[in-house]
Amino acid sequence: MSTAISVLGGVGLFLLGMTVMTGGLKALAGSALRRVLGKAAATPLRGSFWGALVTLLVQSSSATTMTTIGLVSAGLLTFPQGLGLVFGANVGTTGTAWLVALIGVRVSLTAAALPMIFVGALIKLLTSGRVSGAGAALAGFGLVLFGLTTLQQGMGGLAERLHPADLPAVLAGPDAGWWRGMLGVLALVVVGLVMTALMQSSTAAVAVTLSAYFAGAVGLDQACALIIGQNIGTATSSALAAIGASTTAKRLAIAYVLFKLIAAAIALVLFPVVTPLLVRASSTIDGATLLAGYHTAYNVVGVLVLLPLIDRFTRLVERILPERGSPLTRCLDPSALASPIVAVEAVRRTIARALAAVCASVEVAMAAANRGEPVPPGKEDVSVLEAAEALRQAQVFLSDVTGPPDSDDEQRRLTSTLHALDHASRLAETASGEIDFGTVRGGPDDARAGQLCADAMRSATSVAGEVEVLPIIAQSSRVTPASRGTDAMSGATMMSAEEALDQLKRCASELAELQPSHRRATLGAVADGTLSADVAIVRVDTLRNLKVLVHHAWRSAAHLVGRG
């Protein structure tokens, strides 16, 4: 009974210590975790390296994974780049096994652990901010060491009652037949999977296995089989967390599970070759160190196999779980709410998509009116209404952001995003009203107003498209311009984002100057009998709406790129 209590207590202390230490390290890192992951994953290979390094430092693959989900959802990372970070996190999380193998199972660390817990707890309670996080990390590390010592004591008692011969024989066992050994491997893989599923931590399960091997309760070959199952089992927590989550989270969870299964299949195929080599090497190299190395190598091989195939792997995951939501609101992933700047970026992408949809809809309607053709019934109205709904959802999403931005630059970016959201919402509201675009064929001023509006819509669409592609549009060099005439698109040259915005400003200014003279001339035409009153009022109202459309398109685009 005392053995079971020591083992369970040791596992509990280890899990508690890992939780406290991870929370402290995340608080100590602050927003640096998001910045590092966002900038480091330029390619899947670099993403794998930095994912492993960051996970090793914060001691939490779930922290890396959740941050990655937010970055991918907000459009700051592509899905293949996100996969690279998740693959790397699988390697980084094996670092704790090395701590257990090199220190935890060899010496009693109670004398060092207890002062760490005391000092760390004081720092945590008496300070705030990152210093408090450092205290929590220190106290958590002390709890991990104390838990390992307690676990080591329990495993010593378990070794007196349990011998490797009592467990299923595996392929490397001296008396194991091929089929019997294979069944033994699979049985231990299932045991390892169940251990991780119950503990909800592969790190803790591997620590138990290393402690059991060091105490002599399991053999080296049996421990290898257990580690394979424990690596598969860690995917169960990701699968459970994905239930009811966003499409991006579900895709990454599917990719995570597939990665674990593929890596496990590779390990099982190589098991008859690798395990005898490890058993022979254990005569000169410590077995616990070999197991830690096997744990790391097992995940590294999986990453090396999948990285060259990441594009095909991405397409497979996307076919398994296609995107079903509106493309306008795809960035509004709840996981992005944990980081204010990521949430703001998600809203910016949503505004850009909605702005492009509304402007394109207006441009199509005006082009049809210029040709004297009716607008396709309901098509553009649906697009504008969908954009208006997406903007409403963006407003609600932004209201749920956790905490204010960390820096002055991020606060200014949030303010600009709110301005862009307000102008885009007013644009969609105006575009969804009843506008008679056919009046642009009524006279020279009406035609001029229609051309200015069409130019502005094309410029705004180009700017919005660039914002959607790049995190900071001001850093991009070229965008597609609005044409300066009806047939100018065929000879369009490339212009900078600043030039596109200047053209938007010019269109808005010229429309504002045109409106008073157009109003006087149109209403005056009623007095001399050229126009009827109802036609004149419709023309005046249409030009007023065109001016409003161009103004809000310009201001929304300007605020999106930080030039509001």
Side-chain angles (χ1 to χ4, degrees):
M1 185 67 180
S2 60
T3 297
I5 291 175
S6 295
V7 171
L8 294 175
V11 172
L13 286 170
F14 183 88
L15 289 172
L16 178 61
M18 288 296 297
T19 301
V20 175
M21 182 172 66
T22 296
L25 290 172
K26 287 169 63 179
L28 184 61
S31 60
L33 176 63
R34 174 198 57 80
R35 288 197 299 269
V36 169
L37 294 180
K39 294 179 180 179
T43 64
L45 180 60
R46 286 185 60 188
S48 297
F49 171 77
W50 284 101
L53 181 61
V54 169
T55 302
L56 182 63
L57 293 176
V58 301
Q59 284 298 295
S60 173
S61 60
S62 62
T64 303
T65 301
M66 291 307 297
T67 303
T68 300
I69 290 173
L71 293 171
V72 173
S73 301
L76 292 170
L77 294 178
T78 65
F79 188 61
Q81 289 172 332
L83 283 181
L85 289 172
V86 172
F87 289 167
N90 283 281
V91 177
T93 195
T94 64
T96 310
W98 287 96
L99 171 68
V100 177
L102 298 176
I103 301 176
V105 297
R106 301 179 187 279
V107 294
S108 176
L109 300 170
T110 304
L114 292 178
M116 284 185 186
I117 297 172
F118 175 73
V119 173
L122 281 182
I123 296 174
K124 168 67 177 173
L125 294 174
L126 298 179
T127 60
S128 60
R130 294 191 174 185
V131 176
S132 177
L138 180 62
F141 184 63
L143 284 171
V144 167
L145 297 181
F146 189 58
L148 288 174
T149 300
T150 307
L151 183 62
Q152 180 183 351
Q153 295 170 352
M155 284 300 174
L158 180 64
E160 298 175 359
R161 299 174 175 81
L162 182 66
H163 188 269
D166 299 327
L167 297 174
V170 297
L171 294 176
D175 302 321
W178 191 85
W179 285 106
R180 182 186 172 194
M182 177 59 72
L183 292 175
V185 171
L186 295 177
L188 289 175
V189 167
V190 172
V191 171
L193 191 155
V194 173
M195 287 174 65
T196 302
L198 292 176
M199 296 180 190
Q200 287 294 292
S201 170
S202 62
T203 302
V206 171
V208 171
T209 299
L210 292 177
S211 299
Y213 167 76
F214 193 80
V218 299
L220 183 66
D221 48 358
Q222 294 166 329
C224 288
L226 286 171
I227 286 174
I228 294 175
Q230 288 157 357
N231 269 274
I232 301 173
T234 192
T236 58
S237 58
S238 297
L240 292 174
I243 296 176
S246 65
T247 301
T248 301
K250 290 178 181 177
R251 282 179 173 176
L252 283 174
I254 290 174
Y256 192 78
V257 172
L258 289 176
F259 169 81
K260 291 296 185 182
L261 292 176
I262 292 171
I266 295 172
L268 289 173
V269 169
L270 297 177
F271 197 88
V273 178
V274 173
T275 309
L277 295 176
L278 292 176
V279 172
R280 284 197 293 270
S282 64
S283 59
T284 55
I285 303 175
D286 176 68
T289 304
L290 287 174
L291 286 174
Y294 178 75
H295 185 212
T296 301
Y298 162 46
N299 285 279
V300 169
V301 169
V303 172
L304 293 178
V305 169
L306 285 179
L307 268 184
L309 305 173
I310 196 162
D311 290 335
R312 296 182 180 179
F313 188 72
T314 299
R315 289 194 295 269
L316 172 63
V317 173
E318 290 174 345
R319 280 199 298 267
I320 293 174
L321 187 64
E323 183 68 55
R324 292 188 175 88
S326 169
L328 298 179
T329 56
R330 193 171 296 165
C331 292
L332 302 181
D333 193 310
S335 60
L337 292 172
S339 174
I341 189 61
V342 175
V344 168
E345 188 62 35
V347 172
R348 286 183 70 250
R349 301 299 177 91
T350 302
I351 296 170
R353 291 173 179 176
L355 176 62
V358 174
C359 291
S361 177
V362 171
E363 186 181 357
V364 169
M366 293 194 64
N370 269 323
R371 295 190 299 268
E373 301 172 357
V375 178
K379 183 177 179 181
E380 272 62 47
D381 289 340
V382 170
S383 177
V384 171
L385 292 176
E386 286 179 350
E389 174 61 20
L391 292 169
R392 188 194 64 79
Q393 292 183 31
Q395 181 178 344
V396 174
F397 181 85
L398 204 54
S399 301
D400 295 333
V401 174
T402 304
D406 297 329
S407 65
D408 291 341
D409 287 340
E410 292 177 357
Q411 290 176 5
R412 284 191 291 270
R413 196 168 180 82
L414 172 59
T415 303
S416 294
T417 301
L418 287 171
H419 280 295
L421 176 60
D422 177 54
H423 284 290
S425 299
R426 293 174 183 272
L427 172 69
E429 181 182 357
T430 303
S432 62
E434 295 184 2
I435 303 177
D436 187 357
F437 292 109
T439 62
V440 297
R441 295 183 294 122
D445 285 348
D446 298 286
R448 177 60 181 162
Q451 186 60 58
L452 288 171
C453 184
D455 288 349
M457 294 301 106
R458 280 191 290 271
S459 292
T461 301
S462 297
V463 173
E466 197 75 8
V467 170
E468 184 184 350
V469 172
L470 297 177
I472 302 176
I473 188 173
Q475 295 178 354
S476 65
S477 58
R478 321 304 290 175
V479 296
T480 303
S483 64
R484 297 184 181 275
T486 306
D487 301 321
M489 286 301 291
S490 59
T493 58
M494 300 301 286
M495 61 163 57
S496 67
E498 288 76 11
E499 290 172 331
L501 287 172
D502 287 342
Q503 180 155 310
L504 268 169
K505 181 179 180 180
R506 177 186 63 79
C507 292
S509 177
E510 289 189 22
L511 266 176
E513 294 174 359
L514 181 62
Q515 186 190 11
S517 60
H518 174 271
R519 178 185 177 87
R520 287 193 300 270
T522 304
L523 297 182
V526 177
D528 61 23
T530 307
L531 291 177
S532 63
D534 56 345
V535 171
I537 294 298
V538 169
R539 289 187 182 183
V540 169
D541 191 52
T542 297
L543 194 138
R544 182 190 302 112
N545 285 323
L546 295 182
K547 188 192 78 168
V548 171
L549 289 173
V550 172
H551 173 77
H552 288 306
W554 164 47
R555 299 311 300 155
S556 182
H559 282 294
L560 278 177
V561 298
R563 286 187 55 192

